[in-house]
Amino acid sequence: MVAIVKNSALEFWLKGMERFLGDSVSELRISRIPAKQRSSGIPYDELEDFISRTGLKLPVHIASESFLQRTKRDIYIWHTSVRGDLPGAYVQISENILISSPELTFIQVADDYSLAGAGRLADNLCATYYIDPAAEYLQEKRVPVTNAAAMRKFADRADNLNGIKAARRALKYALDNSNSPLETNLAVIARLPLSEGGFNALLMELNGLIKLSASGMRHIGRKSIRCDMVWRTVKVALEYESTLTHLELNQHYYDKARYTALTYSGYKVITVTAQQLRSYTSIDNLFFSVRKMLGMRPEKAAFEKYRDKRRQVMNELFFSSRV
């Protein structure tokens, strides 16, 4: 028996390869792996067929306790431990092949990322999209393979694993339901502490459902609206006007009607365009406006103190190609 782990498991989950499994991820999770099964042989033919079907990049990270059978080191990077005692640590691909669950995978790779990068990774795993380089907009929709609460619960139980400290730290800022990589990046920098290069704008939801007031409903003809980012307790909503869904004039008019309906319902609405995310200063100004609407103090001295750290985070999230 073998398990696909670390960066190879991460590629699997980020690129939506669970579609190759047939059943839902929740149905294929396993609770424990008996020691006898962990030390069984390595199914090379079956493993290589799966790698070929999914297109996983070589070399593939594999964990196996069958030490004497480890060969083909040009194709595989071998790892020792298969955690059979940790419920929910693996998903069953076949009788002889497992893959690290999204929760375990996150811990396995967390040390390779900055706090901002790990936060983005957690949000990507909890998102309603996966990365697809062949798609028109480089992403496709999916049912999330995990959620922030499940990741935190798993990390609370997973003592003594490499990466657990970095994982737990990043998971404090994880959010569900991001609908695009850009939403994810905005959410990460919004929520990080000032000292870590963020804006400390907590208590946020992604794609939260807002019930409209009677006047809001009359204006737009519906009872509720989903907004990209919502601070519900203070009634602030942020909407990104992307080129993805906002291409037609009719959509532009509909968006304006949405914003008016939200205003009638007591919400303050901030709109964001791609132009506002192309420089350090414009990103700063955007979130200074958000903080002001949230009723937060200016904290000018702190923002100046952590200016370089903020630039570093912006470079990673908005001016880098790494997912």
Side-chain angles (χ1 to χ4, degrees), residues 29 39 62 77 81 103 110 126 128 136 151 176 204 223-224 226 268 274 278 286 303 305 316-317:
R29 290 177 182 269
S39 59
I62 299 291
I77 297 174
S81 176
E103 299 82 13
C126 300
T128 60
E136 183 178 2
M151 292 184 77
D176 297 329
M204 177 209 304
K223 294 181 179 180
S224 59
R226 286 196 182 275
K268 299 174 183 176
R278 289 177 181 168
L286 165 65
F303 275 108
K305 179 179 180 181
E316 182 172 1
L317 295 178

Side-chain angles (χ1 to χ4, degrees), residues 42-51 72 76 97:
I42 297 175
Y44 279 113
D45 289 345
E46 188 180 356
L47 181 60
E48 285 163 23
D49 177 68
F50 183 77
I51 292 168
K72 304 188 178 184
Y76 305 114
I97 302 174

Side-chain angles (χ1 to χ4, degrees), residues 117-138:
R120 170 167 59 181
L121 182 57
D123 286 1
N124 277 331
L125 290 170
C126 300
T128 60
Y129 64 87
Y130 66 87
I131 306 301
D132 183 358
E136 183 178 2
Y137 296 108
L138 307 181

Side-chain angles (χ1 to χ4, degrees), residues 114-117 120 181-182 185-186 188-189 192 196-199 276-284 287 306-323:
S114 67
L115 179 59
R120 170 167 59 181
L182 188 52
N185 292 340
L186 287 168
V188 170
I189 199 168
L192 284 180
E196 294 294 343
F199 292 89
Q276 290 172 276
L277 303 176
R278 289 177 181 168
S279 74
Y280 300 139
T281 301
S282 59
I283 295 172
D284 271 347
F287 282 104
Y306 299 115
R307 178 179 176 275
D308 289 345
K309 180 65 177 178
R310 206 161 56 256
R311 299 295 184 262
Q312 180 183 331
V313 170
M314 289 179 192
N315 283 337
E316 182 172 1
L317 295 178
F318 298 101
F319 310 127
S320 167
S321 60
R322 185 178 186 182
V323 174

Side-chain angles (χ1 to χ4, degrees), residues 4-39:
I4 299 170
V5 297
K6 293 177 73 69
N7 290 339
S8 298
L10 181 62
E11 180 190 2
F12 181 92
W13 297 118
L14 288 183
K15 292 185 177 179
M17 293 181 185
E18 71 276 2
R19 61 191 185 276
F20 291 101
L21 297 181
D23 294 315
S24 70
V25 173
S26 60
E27 292 174 341
L28 295 172
R29 290 177 182 269
I30 57 177
S31 55
R32 295 185 182 276
I33 310 168
K36 184 177 180 180
Q37 184 180 355
R38 295 203 304 270
S39 59

Side-chain angles (χ1 to χ4, degrees), residues 90-208:
Y90 297 95
V91 171
Q92 191 99 42
I93 290 175
S94 70
E95 183 178 353
N96 299 306
I97 302 174
L98 311 176
I99 189 165
S100 298
S101 66
E103 299 82 13
L104 177 59
T105 300
F106 180 72
I107 295 170
Q108 289 173 337
V109 302
D111 277 340
D112 297 336
Y113 289 79
S114 67
L115 179 59
R120 170 167 59 181
L121 182 57
D123 286 1
N124 277 331
L125 290 170
C126 300
T128 60
Y129 64 87
Y130 66 87
I131 306 301
D132 183 358
E136 183 178 2
Y137 296 108
L138 307 181
Q139 66 180 80
E140 294 285 359
K141 289 194 174 296
R142 72 165 169 196
V143 175
V145 293
T146 187
N147 59 69
M151 292 184 77
R152 283 190 280 264
K153 183 177 180 180
F154 184 87
D156 287 343
R157 300 196 311 263
D159 294 323
N160 304 317
L161 286 180
N162 290 337
I164 189 61
K165 184 177 179 181
R168 285 173 176 166
R169 186 173 177 228
L171 287 172
K172 289 189 286 188
Y173 308 104
L175 286 174
D176 297 329
N177 298 322
S178 177
N179 199 37
S180 73
L182 188 52
E183 276 184 18
T184 294
N185 292 340
L186 287 168
V188 170
I189 199 168
R191 287 167 53 84
L192 284 180
L194 303 186
S195 61
E196 294 294 343
F199 292 89
N200 201 35
L202 301 172
L203 304 178
M204 177 209 304
E205 301 170 41
L206 290 176
N207 294 290

